[in-house]
Amino acid sequence: MNEFENTPSPSKKILNQTNSPRIPFSPQSVERRDVKSFHGRSRSSQSFGSDSDWSISDSDFSYLDEVKLRNADFEMDSSSGTPTKTGLEKDSSSGTPTKSRAKGKISHTKPPIEKKNDNNNLRKQNTTVTTRATKPKSGSIVRSRSQSRVENSKESPIFDNPELGPFLLKQARDLISLGENPQKALEYSLQAMKMFEKSANGKPSLDLVMCLHVTAAIYCSLGDYNEAIPILERSVEIPIVEEGQQHAIAKFASHMQLGDTYAMLGQLENSIMCYNKGLEVQRLVLGATDPRVGETCRYVAEANFQAMQFDEAERLCQMALDIHRENGSPCSLEEAADRRLMGLICETNGNHEAALENLVLASMAMVSNGQEVEVASVDCSIGDTFLSLARYDEAILAYKKALAVFKTHKGENHPAVGSVYVRLAELYTRTWKIKESKSYCKDALKIYENPMSGVPSDEIANGFVNVAAIYESMNEYEQALKLLHKALEIHNDAPSQQNTIAGIEAQMGVIYYVLDNQTESYNAFKNAISKLRATGEKKSAYFGIVLNQMGLCCVQLCELTEAAKLFEEAKIVLEQEYGPYHPETIGVYSNLAGTYDALGRVDDAVDIMEYIVVVREEKLGTAHFDVVDEKRRLDQLLKETGRVRNRKTKSLEILLDVFDD
C-alpha cells in the first residue's frame, strides 16, 4: 500500500480545540457570559479570563420595573411547602392591598474560568443570579418532586390569589441568594410559574418571562441545563417586540440567556445562533451605533472566537471598535477591550503586526485608566506576538514584566503566575534551551499541583494541558500523557466541558499514535469524535483534522473500510471549511487515495492522485520533491491499471495570449 501523508509527529500535532498547546490564544471551554439587559449591563470585556459570573441581576429584569409585590403576609407551611395567607395590609384610603417592589435576588457563585492569557475583567461587575457549570445531578428526580408539589398545592384556594406568584418567586430568589436549599427554591419558582401562567390567561406576560428566567437559572445552578433550555425557549416566544421596549428587552435577555445555556453544554453553534438573534433585537430597538450594541458585538465576537470562527469574530469585533470609537472618548476601557480582542484574533489569523499594534494600543488605554493587572495580561499577549515573530528578547521582557505584576497582586502561587511560566517554558523550548524550559515547567506544575484555595478547577486542568504540550514538544510523551490524564480527571466528564475534553482526548490520541499504541489511540480519537458530534462541532475544520487522524489510526489497525469512511467525511468537511487547494485538504485526498488503492479501488485512487498532482504542480512547481513523490505514486497506479495520465493542456491561443502579455 502507498505511503500515507500527514502522520502525526511532534512538530505537527492536533491542536486542542479549546485548549491549544500554544499560548497566543486559548479559548478554553466555554465560560458563559452574563445575561445582559439593554441598560448598560455587560459581560466582562476581557477575552477568556473573566472574573465575572454567568448570571442575571435584578437590573436584568428592568423591563419589570412596574411590577410590584403586594405586601401580603404569607407564612410558609413547613410540612407542605405551600404558603398560608395570614393577612394583607390595606391602604387606608383605598382599601386595596399596598404594594412594594421585590428586592430578593438569586446569587450563587460560579468559579470563573480563566483562559491562558489570564485576561481580567474590564467591564462592570454585578451582584447577580449565577448558574454554575457543575456536573448534572438527578434533575429529573428534583423536577418530578417539584412538579408533584405544584400539582398537589394547586388544589388549595390560596392559589387563586394573584399576589402569590410574585411572593413565591421572591422566596425562591431569597433562598438562592442565601445559598440555601436550591431544590426548595426550584419548587417555589415552579409554583410561581403556575401562578403567573394562570394570571396571564394566554396573554404575553413579562412577569411570566421573569419567572421563566429565574427558573432556568436555578436549573442551571443544579447542573440540569437540558431542563433549562425548553423553559428559555418558551421565554423567547412570549415577548412581542412590537409591544414596546420592555418586551424587546425581555426578548433580548431570553435570547442571550438561552445562548449562554447552550454554551454551557458546549453547543457553540446553537449558542452563537441565539446571540445573533439577541443582537438583532437590540440593534432594532437601540439603533446600530448605541454603545450597548457595541458591548454585545464584542460579546458575540468572543463567542465566535471561542468557536474558532475567526473571520466572523473579526467582523463583529471591528463593529464594536467602530461603535465605541464613535461614542466614547479616546483611550476608553471599552475601546481597550475591543482592541485587546482584535489583537488576539489577528494573532490567531497570523497577522502578527496588526495584533501587536492593537495590543499596544489596548495596553496604553489601560495604563491611562490605572488598570495595572489588566495591563499585565495584555503584556502576556504582547509577549505571545513577539514569540510568533521570533523576537525572543522582547518576548522575554514582556513576560517577565507581567510575571512581576502577577506575583505582586495575585500571589506567587496563583495560576496566572503559572501561565507565564508556561509561556517562558515554550519560548526556551523554541530556542533549544531545554534545561531552562524544564525548569519553568516544574515551577508551573508546583502551582497547578498545589493550587490556592478558591482557584477554579478549570484553570488547573487548563494548566496541566498547557504544560503537557511543552513536554510533548520535547518528545517526553509519557510525562505529557500523565498530565493530560490529570486534566481529564479534573473535568470529570462535565457536560459544559465536552469540547475541552474532546480536545484533550484527541491530543492523547496523537501521542498514543506516536508511541505506536494504536488501540489506545483509536479509543481516544473515537471518544473525541463522539463528543464533537454531540456538541455540534461536526462542521468545523478541527473536526475534519481529527477525522483524518483517526483514519490514519484505522489504517495502522488494518481497518481499511472504516478508514475510508473517515477520510471521506474529513474530505467533505475540509473542502467546505478550507477549500480543495488547502494543504490539509490535499493531505486527506492523498490518504484517501492510498486507502482506495489498498481496498482495490484503483480507478478511484488514480482519479484522486491525478487531481493531487495537478494541484501540486500549480502550487509548488514541477521540480518540487513533493510533486516528484506524488508523480511516482501516480505512475505506479497507472501501471497497475494500464491507463495513461490525463494531462490538462492549454490551447495555443491561451499560450499566445500569455506570450503577448
Side-chain angles (χ1 to χ4, degrees):
M1 187 176 67
N2 295 312
E3 181 181 359
F4 288 0
E5 288 192 345
N6 292 352
T7 56
S9 67
S11 61
K12 188 172 185 178
K13 305 186 291 287
I14 293 181
L15 296 183
N16 183 337
Q17 164 140 359
T18 53
N19 282 297
S20 168
R22 241 318 256 126
I23 302 295
F25 79 98
S26 90
Q28 192 206 350
S29 68
V30 187
E31 48 103 3
R32 268 311 89 178
R33 309 162 168 87
D34 305 334
V35 176
K36 301 173 287 186
S37 76
F38 281 120
H39 299 291
R41 175 179 165 85
S42 65
R43 176 178 174 264
S44 87
S45 296
Q46 102 281 2
S47 306
F48 324 123
S50 171
D51 294 330
S52 64
D53 291 335
W54 183 97
S55 47
I56 310 168
S57 70
D58 282 340
S59 64
D60 290 322
F61 300 121
S62 55
Y63 55 89
L64 295 167
D65 282 340
E66 301 303 320
V67 176
K68 307 292 184 180
L69 269 180
R70 281 190 167 89
N71 229 349
D73 293 329
F74 287 100
E75 294 178 355
M76 303 310 296
D77 187 323
S78 59
S79 60
S80 65
T82 59
T84 303
K85 182 178 177 183
T86 60
L88 291 171
E89 294 183 4
K90 301 286 185 177
D91 185 290
S92 58
S93 60
S94 64
T96 58
T98 60
K99 301 180 182 181
S100 63
R101 175 112 196 278
K103 299 291 184 183
K105 56 175 172 279
I106 301 177
S107 177
H108 254 311
T109 302
K110 178 181 82 65
I113 300 176
E114 178 180 310
K115 308 307 183 259
K116 267 182 288 187
N117 290 337
D118 187 48
N119 303 317
N120 294 286
N121 196 355
L122 301 179
R123 300 182 203 172
K124 300 176 183 176
Q125 298 296 318
N126 299 279
T127 304
T128 52
V129 178
T130 313
T131 59
R132 290 182 292 184
T134 54
K135 186 176 180 180
K137 302 178 183 177
S138 53
S140 58
I141 297 175
V142 173
R143 186 176 67 262
S144 60
R145 293 160 93 194
S146 302
Q147 295 282 22
S148 63
R149 287 249 180 130
V150 172
E151 297 301 326
N152 292 337
S153 57
K154 278 175 64 179
E155 309 268 331
S156 171
I158 195 66
F159 275 74
D160 292 330
N161 194 325
E163 292 85 26
L164 187 56
F167 173 77
L168 286 169
L169 186 59
K170 180 181 183 299
Q171 293 296 316
R173 298 176 75 188
D174 287 345
L175 276 176
I176 296 300
S177 67
L178 296 172
E180 297 176 357
N181 205 341
Q183 286 143 349
K184 177 67 71 175
L186 180 61
E187 290 182 21
Y188 291 156
S189 181
L190 289 170
Q191 289 173 342
M193 190 168 64
K194 293 290 183 182
M195 294 299 95
F196 285 124
E197 286 173 344
K198 188 172 182 180
S199 299
N201 196 26
K203 297 179 181 179
S205 168
L206 297 184
D207 298 31
L208 178 57
V209 173
M210 176 178 67
C211 187
L212 292 170
H213 287 181
V214 174
T215 304
I218 296 172
Y219 271 127
C220 289
S221 72
L222 293 168
D224 204 347
Y225 305 110
N226 288 318
E227 290 300 323
I229 286 175
I231 291 175
L232 290 171
E233 287 175 340
R234 185 181 174 198
S235 77
V236 168
E237 299 300 325
I238 293 174
I240 301 174
V241 176
E242 291 75 14
E243 292 291 325
Q245 191 180 65
Q246 301 303 312
H247 278 260
I249 294 171
K251 199 173 193 72
F252 166 80
S254 297
H255 279 306
M256 300 305 285
Q257 189 174 350
L258 180 58
D260 288 343
T261 307
Y262 275 126
M264 297 295 274
L265 289 169
Q267 298 181 24
L268 300 185
E269 187 175 347
N270 290 334
S271 175
I272 291 172
M273 188 183 304
C274 293
Y275 293 148
N276 286 332
K277 290 179 180 177
L279 179 59
E280 289 174 11
V281 172
Q282 192 184 42
R283 292 183 66 184
L284 178 66
V285 176
L286 298 180
T289 59
D290 191 281
R292 291 162 289 183
V293 174
E295 293 286 327
T296 306
C297 285
R298 183 170 65 245
Y299 186 96
V300 184
E302 290 184 7
N304 279 276
F305 184 71
Q306 291 173 335
M308 303 182 79
Q309 297 178 10
F310 303 124
D311 291 340
E312 180 66 9
E314 184 174 1
R315 184 186 71 82
L316 288 164
C317 188
Q318 186 61 53
M319 286 175 58
L321 192 60
D322 293 340
I323 292 171
H324 287 139
R325 196 179 330 169
E326 181 178 339
N327 290 280
S329 58
C331 298
S332 67
L333 287 178
E334 289 77 13
E335 185 176 342
D338 298 338
R339 289 201 175 279
R340 182 178 187 174
L341 178 58
M342 183 63 81
L344 295 175
I345 295 170
C346 291
E347 168 69 11
T348 305
N349 283 332
N351 191 353
H352 305 303
E353 296 294 345
L356 191 59
E357 178 184 354
N358 280 285
L359 291 170
V360 169
L361 289 172
S363 178
M364 293 170 59
M366 291 174 187
V367 168
S368 65
N369 284 276
Q371 304 288 321
E372 187 175 358
V373 177
E374 285 75 12
V375 171
S377 298
V378 176
D379 283 338
C380 286
S381 298
I382 291 173
D384 296 337
T385 306
F386 280 136
L387 182 60
S388 299
L389 292 168
R391 294 162 64 175
Y392 300 120
D393 291 338
E394 292 165 289
I396 291 173
L397 288 174
Y399 289 149
K400 290 191 173 180
K401 180 182 174 184
L403 184 63
V405 174
F406 285 146
K407 284 184 176 181
T408 301
H409 290 272
K410 292 179 176 288
E412 296 200 1
N413 203 38
H414 194 276
V417 176
S419 71
V420 182
Y421 287 148
V422 173
R423 288 174 162 89
L424 287 166
E426 181 178 1
L427 186 150
Y428 284 116
T429 301
R430 289 196 183 190
T431 56
W432 300 101
K433 296 180 179 179
I434 303 302
K435 182 179 179 181
E436 290 84 349
S437 179
K438 287 185 177 181
S439 176
Y440 279 117
C441 283
K442 290 177 181 178
D443 290 338
L445 288 176
K446 287 178 183 177
I447 294 174
Y448 298 134
E449 289 172 348
N450 299 284
M452 301 170 61
S453 60
V455 174
S457 58
D458 309 71
E459 295 184 31
I460 305 305
N462 190 35
F464 283 133
V465 171
N466 296 335
V467 179
I470 304 298
Y471 279 112
E472 184 181 354
S473 67
M474 293 187 290
N475 298 335
E476 296 195 13
Y477 302 116
E478 296 295 342
Q479 178 67 8
L481 281 173
K482 179 181 176 182
L483 295 174
L484 292 173
H485 277 295
K486 285 186 177 182
L488 283 182
E489 290 173 4
I490 292 173
H491 286 305
N492 196 24
D493 203 29
S496 61
Q497 303 292 333
Q498 293 301 291
N499 276 15
T500 301
I501 295 169
I504 295 172
E505 288 173 335
Q507 198 64 33
M508 293 172 68
V510 172
I511 297 175
Y512 280 128
Y513 186 99
V514 174
L515 293 174
D516 204 26
N517 188 341
Q518 305 303 335
T519 301
E520 289 295 333
S521 178
Y522 176 86
N523 291 334
F525 283 130
K526 185 176 181 180
N527 291 335
I529 287 174
S530 65
K531 289 181 175 66
L532 292 172
R533 289 188 195 278
T535 56
E537 291 297 311
K538 57 186 178 181
K539 295 181 181 179
S540 68
Y542 176 75
F543 182 69
I545 293 171
V546 178
L547 288 170
N548 180 56
Q549 299 292 342
M550 186 175 177
L552 292 168
C553 183
C554 288
V555 169
Q556 296 297 320
L557 292 171
C558 296
E559 298 290 342
L560 299 179
T561 302
E562 184 176 1
K565 291 179 180 178
L566 291 166
F567 290 138
E568 287 166 352
E569 187 176 1
K571 170 179 171 290
I572 294 171
V573 172
L574 293 179
E575 281 178 340
Q576 181 176 350
E577 295 299 316
Y578 284 155
Y581 304 109
H582 192 277
E584 292 287 352
T585 310
I586 297 298
V588 173
Y589 288 156
S590 184
N591 293 339
L592 183 58
T595 308
Y596 282 159
D597 179 26
L599 288 169
R601 298 170 57 179
V602 182
D603 289 336
D604 292 332
V606 168
D607 292 338
I608 294 174
M609 287 304 304
E610 285 182 334
Y611 173 80
I612 292 173
V613 169
V614 170
V615 173
R616 296 281 199 198
E617 286 179 339
E618 290 178 355
K619 299 295 180 181
L620 303 176
T622 57
H624 194 277
F625 64 89
D626 281 344
V627 177
V628 173
D629 182 60
E630 299 292 7
K631 285 182 178 179
R632 178 184 57 79
R633 293 178 61 189
L634 176 59
D635 290 340
Q636 184 179 352
L637 289 172
L638 291 172
K639 287 179 182 178
E640 293 178 13
T641 59
R643 291 172 51 179
V644 178
R645 179 184 172 190
N646 293 323
R647 297 178 181 272
K648 293 183 178 180
T649 58
K650 296 182 179 180
S651 68
L652 182 59
E653 291 181 3
I654 295 175
L655 291 172
L656 291 173
D657 287 340
V658 172
F659 291 138
D660 290 340
D661 293 339

